[in-house]
Amino acid sequence: MKKLFSKLARDESGATAIEYGLIAALISVALIAGAGALGDSLNTTFDNLSTTLDDNQPPAAE
């Protein structure tokens, strides 16, 4: 029984898996935040483009 506990105490594979999981979660959060910022920027750009195009249309013929 003592051998089993000492073997478990020296086993670091669980800690390594947790570290990789934390790194993957951090990367995911960074990607989501970056995609959100990019989406907001694109939305603003297209809104400005739409406004510019609407303002520059010729008057409607009657």
Side-chain angles (χ1 to χ4, degrees), residues 1-13:
M1 192 63 134
K2 187 176 179 180
K3 273 187 173 183
L4 177 64
F5 284 125
S6 66
K7 183 178 178 184
L8 286 174
R10 285 183 277 131
D11 187 15
E12 295 182 7
S13 62

Side-chain angles (χ1 to χ4, degrees), residues 11-54:
D11 187 15
E12 295 182 7
S13 62
T16 303
I18 291 172
E19 289 170 356
Y20 283 134
L22 290 172
I23 291 169
L26 182 62
I27 290 171
S28 298
V29 168
L31 287 173
I32 290 169
L38 178 64
D40 290 341
S41 175
L42 283 174
N43 192 24
T44 302
T45 301
F46 283 117
D47 284 343
N48 291 340
L49 179 63
S50 175
T51 302
T52 302
L53 289 174
D54 286 342

